[in-house]
Amino acid sequence: MAPLPIIIDCDPGQDDAVALLLALASPELEVLGITTVHGNVPLAVNAANARALVEFAGWPELPVFAGSDRPLRRPGIHAVRVHGPSGLQGFDLPPARRPVEPRHAVEVLVETLRTRNDVTLCALGPLTNLAEAFTWAPEIVKRVRRIVLMGGASKGGNVTPVAEFNIHADPEAAALVFAAGAPITMFGLDVTHKALVNAEHCRGFRAAGKRGAAASGWCDFPDRYNPMRYGAVGLPLHDPCVIAWLIDPTLFAGKECFVAVETESPLTLGQTVVDWWGRLGEKPNATVIERIDAEGFFKLLSERLARLG
Ligand code: RIB
Ligand code: CA
């Protein structure tokens, strides 16, 4: 089968970085480019991280574009406490030799989707770039092959009791994307909190080579583990779930649901309301993934990291 053309929109962040390595190691995927968005750390930092990452992975010609540096309508939030000031605490990448591309990521998304209708958008951060592209050029929505996103939660958030970071960071953008009409596959905390990377997995990553050692560092630095936090020993490896599904969807299972995003209530801002039982009678707008073969996922990740060496 021909490789699947994808664009990865991200905010590296350690788990974004592992997801990028997985994608670049996988011949099933054709990574057309990387777009970056405000999120875990400020845009300038995460764009530089993405640039350094593609060179570290052995893809120096892959273009990286910087996008929106703030949410549509609210002040930005970051997760420096989780990711460290560099956004990649745990392993320091060699600095990039090439700069980020001069063109804005939203312009690149619009132009790409105007010229081809076979692209899958992998959204690993706040959805601001996608929302701005859909607002600028509504005609591209029907040309998107699929949006596969890490975001949301139906059983408890990681920023507030109900909101997950990527959605909470720009609720208006998320609401627009979920309502736009493009096919969506949603990886929320319901499934990513079952992809808990532990010290044994990290030992396997380190044995894979220098890229695996980087992944291990990003998953294993001392204060990342908090057994009490997620009810089990390990760290949720959120973003790589999106890429793993594209490579082997049999590792996951989910359900077609209607999903809406709260944009008003201060208490529940950024909550993804997942209508599991169709109470609202609305047409489903997302495949909500809730199950994972976690050991199969980590086996795939280790094997692909070894391919990069
Ligand atoms: O809530 C987890 C998500 O927020 C991940 O994408 C992580 O990288 C952060 O962006
Ligand atoms: Ca991310």
Side-chain angles (χ1 to χ4, degrees):
M1 278 172 72
L4 183 74
I6 67 172
I7 290 175
I8 302 176
D9 189 73
C10 56
D11 60 335
Q14 290 93 339
D15 59 325
D16 305 70
V18 177
L20 289 173
L21 290 178
L22 177 57
L24 295 173
S26 299
E28 300 87 344
L29 307 175
E30 179 193 5
V31 183
L32 301 175
I34 309 293
T35 54
T36 60
V37 65
H38 68 89
N40 288 320
V41 289
L43 176 71
V45 178
N46 76 47
N49 288 343
R51 189 60 240 157
L53 192 283
V54 298
E55 293 180 20
F56 175 73
W59 292 77
E61 299 310 311
L62 189 62
V64 173
F65 303 90
S68 308
D69 65 357
R70 71 199 67 180
L72 294 182
R73 295 195 205 121
R74 298 175 184 273
I77 61 171
H78 300 307
V80 173
R81 182 183 47 76
V82 173
H83 296 270
S86 72
L88 292 177
Q89 184 172 338
F91 182 89
D92 295 332
L93 286 172
R97 292 198 177 89
R98 275 182 48 178
V100 170
E101 303 296 320
R103 292 173 63 204
H104 192 286
V106 173
E107 178 197 346
V108 172
L109 286 171
V110 169
E111 183 186 278
T112 303
L113 293 166
R114 278 178 170 160
T115 53
R116 58 189 297 179
N117 63 357
D118 61 347
V119 178
T120 295
L121 301 179
C122 303
L124 310 182
L127 293 167
T128 313
N129 285 343
L130 274 64
E132 288 191 350
F134 292 174
T135 302
W136 174 358
E139 77 279 5
I140 66 174
V141 171
K142 63 182 177 298
R143 298 175 60 80
V144 174
R145 183 175 188 151
R146 177 167 290 273
I147 300 168
V148 190
L149 65 87
M150 192 280 138
S154 73
K155 303 182 185 80
N158 59 2
V159 179
T160 75
V162 294
E164 176 278 328
F165 176 84
N166 287 340
I167 308 299
H168 190 69
D170 196 343
E172 284 77 13
L176 187 151
V177 169
F178 273 94
I184 293 174
T185 302
M186 168 181 154
F187 287 80
L189 300 181
D190 308 307
V191 66
T192 67
H193 276 187
K194 297 170 186 170
L196 295 174
V197 64
N198 60 34
E200 184 187 346
H201 297 133
C202 289
R203 278 193 294 276
F205 295 166
R206 285 193 294 276
K210 73 172 182 177
R211 279 80 176 207
S216 173
W218 290 326
C219 295
D220 200 18
F221 65 89
D223 61 350
R224 288 303 292 270
Y225 287 111
N226 178 342
M228 301 312 294
R229 182 144 188 207
Y230 300 109
V233 174
L235 175 89
L237 207 46
H238 306 285
D239 294 340
C241 289
V242 166
I243 305 302
W245 181 79
L246 292 172
I247 299 164
D248 182 0
T250 66
L251 293 173
F252 300 90
K255 183 178 181 184
E256 299 288 326
C257 297
F258 174 72
V259 179
V261 179
E262 175 61 58
T263 58
E264 302 297 332
S265 156
L267 176 64
T268 58
L269 183 69
Q271 178 177 13
T272 48
V273 179
V274 179
D275 190 2
W276 289 106
W277 305 111
R279 297 293 80 188
L280 297 174
E282 296 281 352
K283 180 173 178 284
N285 57 345
T287 302
V288 181
I289 302 296
E290 55 175 342
R291 290 190 301 282
I292 180 175
D293 166 4
E295 285 319 304
F297 166 72
F298 285 109
K299 183 168 177 286
L300 172 69
L301 181 52
S302 293
E303 185 265 321
R304 295 299 162 101
L305 288 170
R307 290 192 190 193
L308 289 176

